Amino acid sequence: MQPNWLAQRSYLTPNRIGLSYNDKQWTFKELYDEAVRIAGKLASFHLDRGDRIALLAPSRPELISMIYGCMERGVEIVFLNGRLSSYELHYQIQDAQVKAVIVHEEEQHKLPEDTDSILFTEVFCAEEIKIEAVEEWSDDATISIMYTSGTTGFPKGVRQTVQNHSASAISSVLNLGLRDSDVWLCTMPIFHISGFSILMRSLLYGMHVRLYEKFDAASCATEIAEGSVTRMSAVAVTLERILSYMEERGMKAHPNFQSILAGGGPVPVDYLRRADKLHLQVVQTYGMTETSSQTATLSSEDAMEKAGSAGKPLFFNQIRIEGAAKPGDEGEICIRGPHVTPGYIGRFANRPAMENGWLKTGDIGYLDEEGYLYVIDRRADLIISGGENIYPAEIENVLLAHPAVKEAGVSGIDDPVWGKVPAAFIVLKNEATVEELLTFCKGRLASYKMPKKVLIVDQLPRNGSNKLVRRRLTELL
Amino acid sequence: MQPNWLAQRSYLTPNRIGLSYNDKQWTFKELYDEAVRIAGKLASFHLDRGDRIALLAPSRPELISMIYGCMERGVEIVFLNGRLSSYELHYQIQDAQVKAVIVHEEEQHKLPEDTDSILFTEVFCAEEIKIEAVEEWSDDATISIMYTSGTTGFPKGVRQTVQNHSASAISSVLNLGLRDSDVWLCTMPIFHISGFSILMRSLLYGMHVRLYEKFDAASCATEIAEGSVTRMSAVAVTLERILSYMEERGMKAHPNFQSILAGGGPVPVDYLRRADKLHLQVVQTYGMTETSSQTATLSSEDAMEKAGSAGKPLFFNQIRIEGAAKPGDEGEICIRGPHVTPGYIGRFANRPAMENGWLKTGDIGYLDEEGYLYVIDRRADLIISGGENIYPAEIENVLLAHPAVKEAGVSGIDDPVWGKVPAAFIVLKNEATVEELLTFCKGRLASYKMPKKVLIVDQLPRNGSNKLVRRRLTELL
């Protein structure tokens, strides 16, 4: 059991700032009082403790209120990604069997047409039912659910519990440190673990979150240079934009600024050198939805010597390489610790996340002599494009549904801006143009998942057992 | 399960300084390697995982090595207080049923004569048996046992587990914050939870502990003024000596210095004002052996407005006042959280520490409108003398064993240096002088527990059910 985080935080540091957005700010007491009000309003929609809802909204203060309201009510939140196609959203809503979909009016058009949803304004204007305060939260209660794909191409809904989030925040603080003056700049999507974990840290640390609806290099650079924020999460592509903006204007990081936590694949060494010149510390991290964010971290001081490494595990967790007999041996990366999801929901509810207490990530890597982790191949040929995970199998599944397509293979190709973008390789059984295929994909795939290149080929590279070898696809280019 | 802290810390930050003493210092890797060696040597004394030993030694690096060696071996440590009489030590050693007593040669004379002990040098010179490394520690494994008295006058051995110590360190870091540059000055006895908890924080945070064998105002003041340390634990009497030393020499706290954590009863407001002038932050705390140190903390910024308060609970724990219907109502202070001991050993092994999940401290207090805790009466009329806990019943038990004593009552009286000192009130059945009584007490009581005043009286104040009312004893003066 843990104390209700919202109530406890409001009790301990009522007057500290918990959230700001543009020129508005809210104390932890204000955030808690609002959460209690919204919990009472959710009750008037017959949403009870243990029920599950899906949430779709832009990253604005209303979203934070709604999230905290759901947490206060004890309602599990399935986070929907507004960049997904209505086809993809439909799958997740069905799979999660949510009791309601709560959607911000501006994003309602993204939902599948037949979705029975509750608008944000409907919740805010609803009657507030007096409900009993919950003093303690169970360690294994689910707070959030996020969908992530895998080898099958069917997204799996990953449960993140009270214990998962607190373990993650605690391990992180032992690594990064904490000051009263810390302010975490949040421009990552809240529906991703990279963004949501910032809110969890805020509640547990009593830390101010500076929220932006979208990433904007100018604002980030200015806040970093002025020292009005001290921490930030980023991916390589957003980091690069901040660096360029600061370089062009001769800006330097303020001494108050502590570090940028960079996830979603290794940061090019050149970026690190440039950051260093701006006095900007970059802490690289490896993690995933199943590990409630950060699981390994490479400190700034090690970044040059260990370029390309994801660092070492956080204190309360462990990493081992399946089948590795000695340092340097490659194998599947396995993770253990209180931050690892207990499992999935929906059609994968019966598939255990762990084997003998270890999460098998599907990623391939090795540990060097000193125990630094190197990730050499993301699972299922994962394509990381501007920090977003794209699973080839998901795109292939869509292409294979087209009547003219016989075989389809998708792989990432280099892109100067996004790191990687998906390219599709197609064997046809009937005639079809590339344009026809792309039109077919639209509406079925989020735009960032749309193949940026489509090549009609005679056959796909396959191994002895006739399995598609995605890493050899690019040889066809 | 948690990763073996010693191994994990050495793996994560091998080259960081973990301990220093005078002009010597040790990295976490050196500390771990030494712990492994000592674990192997302990094995040659047939000390195995789960066995229990008692430890008596001055606060020097050898003690830290021995502690870490025991932790690596998985041996439970009963911490003996070198200030206790051999009579008192005998009780604890017997009650704990330890497999061995490991003693530093300089303190061997303090042990009861018939004690079968192992000297520090014998351990250090023993053959090292190769033992298997333990990768994980169970949450409920006991690390340390410390004796504390209560209403009965019989000291109880309090178990502190892996989970207790990690929960305590984690809650503390969320309250105090953490920087890479933190160095904790340790002059508190290691056999007390106030000292031992500093070592636990060191392992979990990767933090440098600056160890002193004894408190010394000049050294502490100098380190604080030079910024070579950033944190310190103290009690009111040691704080005052540091303040005086700094005031006399016009010293100020270095900007790197973060705060003094002051336990063992409230700090007089006058000290806080003086500390403020020296730019010295004082964070007051309330805790006990059963809560593995800190459980409530009053921040420096609240110290003036809430003078006399022990502050608010740390994040993962809760405080309630038994029977209180509204703020301000007095009652027994009850504590809940993962830092609370699961229970006792020895003759109190079957007495549960908690009732319905709450530790009943025996202390009386109240929460004000904002939830700040005020401790108005320490349990069992506890006398806190220079930070040491003295239980009247323990002294009364000794006095009552004298053939001339009919009744005995002990209470604290004000003392300008120690805060409180014990005074004894005696009703005789046969003739005896005060000197005779004091001679009798010597050897049976630690010197700090010796009554500083003994008064022969006709009768003791008793309530309707004839129970001694200790708080009215001082009216007899």
Side-chain angles (χ1 to χ4, degrees), chain A residues 192-423:
Chain A
H192 271 186
I193 188 59
S194 55
F196 187 68
S197 61
I198 298 172
L199 297 181
M200 299 301 94
R201 292 183 200 118
S202 167
L203 294 176
L204 290 162
Y205 305 169
M207 180 182 71
H208 175 171
V209 172
R210 178 95 183 107
L211 183 70
Y212 275 82
E213 183 174 346
K214 288 196 165 61
F215 172 76
D216 161 37
S219 304
C220 292
T222 306
E223 300 241 28
I224 289 169
E226 290 178 351
S228 47
V229 299
T230 64
R231 301 269 180 200
M232 178 180 179
S233 301
V235 293
V237 58
T238 50
L239 172 62
E240 201 285 330
R241 290 191 192 168
I242 294 170
L243 296 177
S244 292
Y245 190 94
M246 292 177 76
E247 286 163 347
E248 282 161 20
R249 286 159 187 82
M251 294 160 91
K252 294 264 185 276
H254 192 278
N256 284 354
F257 189 81
Q258 298 295 308
S259 64
I260 288 189
L261 189 65
V267 175
V269 174
D270 177 55
Y271 293 5
L272 299 175
R273 288 210 189 89
R274 290 165 60 195
D276 198 48
K277 284 189 191 142
L278 305 177
H279 308 155
L280 198 57
Q281 270 203 35
V282 177
V283 175
Q284 292 179 77
T285 181
Y286 165 69
M288 60 206 72
T289 310
E290 287 89 340
T291 63
S292 317
S293 115
Q294 267 183 291
T295 198
T297 297
L298 182 69
S299 66
S300 198
E301 68 221 62
D302 292 336
M304 291 300 178
E305 201 195 334
K306 298 286 181 181
S309 168
K312 291 179 178 174
L314 299 183
F315 194 86
F316 288 108
N317 68 61
Q318 297 166 71
I319 293 177
R320 68 175 177 77
I321 305 297
E322 178 80 18
K326 59 179 192 311
D329 285 354
E330 291 175 11
E332 183 171 4
I333 300 169
C334 299
I335 296 171
R336 179 173 167 86
H339 63 317
V340 173
T341 179
Y344 306 99
I345 63 162
R347 72 158 74 183
F348 294 99
N350 294 322
R351 178 190 289 202
M354 286 175 276
E355 264 179 43
N356 300 320
W358 291 83
L359 174 76
K360 301 186 80 173
T361 63
D363 293 344
I364 305 299
Y366 67 90
L367 294 167
D368 73 7
E369 294 280 346
E370 292 170 89
Y372 284 83
L373 175 70
Y374 288 77
V375 182
I376 52 177
D377 210 354
R378 288 305 294 253
R379 58 184 148 173
D381 312 292
L382 176 66
I383 303 164
I384 304 182
S385 184
E388 285 277 7
N389 289 351
I390 302 176
Y391 294 86
E394 223 183 316
I395 304 176
E396 292 161 5
N397 281 353
V398 168
L399 285 163
L400 286 165
H402 188 280
V405 173
K406 186 179 167 207
E407 295 174 26
V410 170
S411 179
I413 54 173
D414 291 335
D415 183 273
V417 176
W418 304 107
K420 294 277 183 189
V421 291

Side-chain angles (χ1 to χ4, degrees), chain B residues 78-129:
Chain B
V78 177
F79 281 97
L80 299 177
N81 175 347
R83 299 179 65 188
L84 297 183
S85 69
S86 73
Y87 179 88
E88 293 165 316
L89 292 174
H90 179 78
Y91 170 88
Q92 298 186 5
I93 292 167
Q94 290 304 312
D95 184 67
Q97 297 193 281
V98 296
K99 198 164 173 187
V101 177
I102 301 179
V103 63
H104 192 285
E105 9 291 299
E106 286 181 26
E107 303 213 333
Q108 196 184 12
H109 67 277
K110 295 181 178 175
L111 289 177
E113 270 190 24
D114 57 344
T115 308
D116 191 16
S117 59
I118 304 171
L119 293 176
F120 264 51
T121 44
E122 291 181 279
V123 175
F124 289 123
C125 298
E127 187 200 354
E128 187 186 330
I129 291 179

Side-chain angles (χ1 to χ4, degrees), chain B residues 66-217:
Chain B
M66 192 63 79
I67 290 170
Y68 290 168
C70 288
M71 288 171 67
E72 179 64 21
R73 184 74 189 117
V75 160
E76 300 178 358
I77 307 167
V78 177
F79 281 97
L80 299 177
N81 175 347
R83 299 179 65 188
L84 297 183
S85 69
S86 73
Y87 179 88
E88 293 165 316
L89 292 174
H90 179 78
Y91 170 88
Q92 298 186 5
I93 292 167
Q94 290 304 312
D95 184 67
Q97 297 193 281
V98 296
K99 198 164 173 187
V101 177
I102 301 179
V103 63
H104 192 285
E105 9 291 299
E106 286 181 26
E107 303 213 333
Q108 196 184 12
H109 67 277
K110 295 181 178 175
L111 289 177
E113 270 190 24
D114 57 344
T115 308
D116 191 16
S117 59
I118 304 171
L119 293 176
F120 264 51
T121 44
E122 291 181 279
V123 175
F124 289 123
C125 298
E127 187 200 354
E128 187 186 330
I129 291 179
K130 183 85 188 153
I131 51 170
E132 212 175 331
V134 172
E135 286 185 19
E136 291 184 334
W137 292 353
S138 167
D139 284 317
D140 57 5
T142 297
I143 291 182
S144 49
I145 293 158
M146 296 178 189
Y147 274 81
T148 178
S149 292
T151 47
T152 60
F154 289 107
K156 300 198 290 284
V158 178
R159 285 174 55 200
Q160 294 150 342
T161 64
V162 169
Q163 174 179 268
N164 291 154
H165 286 300
S166 64
S168 169
I170 287 164
S171 274
S172 178
V173 86
L174 294 183
N175 182 271
L176 298 178
L178 179 67
R179 297 163 188 241
D180 276 354
S181 55
D182 274 342
V183 181
W184 203 301
L185 180 59
C186 177
T187 67
M188 305 295 270
I190 299 293
F191 55 74
H192 270 185
I193 188 58
S194 55
F196 187 67
S197 61
I198 298 172
L199 297 181
M200 299 301 94
R201 291 183 201 119
S202 168
L203 294 175
L204 290 162
Y205 305 169
M207 180 183 70
H208 175 171
V209 172
R210 178 96 183 106
L211 182 70
Y212 276 82
E213 183 175 346
K214 287 196 165 61
F215 172 78
D216 160 37

Side-chain angles (χ1 to χ4, degrees), chain A residues 35-269:
Chain A
V36 170
R37 275 192 296 272
I38 291 178
K41 290 169 187 290
L42 291 170
S44 76
F45 291 92
H46 306 293
L47 291 169
D48 301 322
R49 187 152 300 278
D51 282 345
R52 186 181 291 161
I53 60 111
L55 200 52
L56 178 61
S59 287
R60 297 200 205 128
E62 308 92 273
L63 174 60
I64 312 304
S65 297
M66 192 63 79
I67 290 170
Y68 290 168
C70 288
M71 288 172 68
E72 179 65 20
R73 185 72 189 119
V75 161
E76 300 179 358
I77 306 168
V78 177
F79 281 96
L80 299 177
N81 175 347
R83 299 179 64 188
L84 297 182
S85 68
S86 73
Y87 179 88
E88 293 165 317
L89 291 175
H90 179 78
Y91 170 87
Q92 297 186 7
I93 293 167
Q94 290 304 312
D95 184 67
Q97 297 193 280
V98 297
K99 199 165 173 189
V101 178
I102 301 179
V103 63
H104 193 283
E105 9 291 296
E106 286 180 27
E107 304 213 333
Q108 195 183 12
H109 67 279
K110 296 180 178 175
L111 288 177
E113 271 190 22
D114 57 345
T115 308
D116 191 17
S117 60
I118 304 171
L119 293 174
F120 264 51
T121 44
E122 291 180 279
V123 175
F124 290 123
C125 298
E127 187 199 356
E128 187 187 331
I129 291 179
K130 182 84 188 152
I131 52 171
E132 211 175 330
V134 172
E135 286 184 19
E136 291 184 334
W137 292 354
S138 167
D139 284 318
D140 57 6
T142 297
I143 290 182
S144 49
I145 293 158
M146 296 179 189
Y147 275 83
T148 178
S149 291
T151 49
T152 61
F154 290 107
K156 301 197 289 285
V158 178
R159 284 174 55 200
Q160 294 150 340
T161 63
V162 168
Q163 175 179 268
N164 291 155
H165 286 300
S166 63
S168 169
I170 286 164
S171 274
S172 178
V173 86
L174 294 183
N175 182 272
L176 298 178
L178 179 67
R179 297 162 189 241
D180 276 354
S181 55
D182 274 344
V183 181
W184 203 301
L185 181 59
C186 177
T187 67
M188 305 295 269
I190 299 293
F191 55 75
H192 271 186
I193 188 59
S194 55
F196 187 68
S197 61
I198 298 172
L199 297 181
M200 299 301 94
R201 292 183 200 118
S202 167
L203 294 176
L204 290 162
Y205 305 169
M207 180 182 71
H208 175 171
V209 172
R210 178 95 183 107
L211 183 70
Y212 275 82
E213 183 174 346
K214 288 196 165 61
F215 172 76
D216 161 37
S219 304
C220 292
T222 306
E223 300 241 28
I224 289 169
E226 290 178 351
S228 47
V229 299
T230 64
R231 301 269 180 200
M232 178 180 179
S233 301
V235 293
V237 58
T238 50
L239 172 62
E240 201 285 330
R241 290 191 192 168
I242 294 170
L243 296 177
S244 292
Y245 190 94
M246 292 177 76
E247 286 163 347
E248 282 161 20
R249 286 159 187 82
M251 294 160 91
K252 294 264 185 276
H254 192 278
N256 284 354
F257 189 81
Q258 298 295 308
S259 64
I260 288 189
L261 189 65
V267 175
V269 174

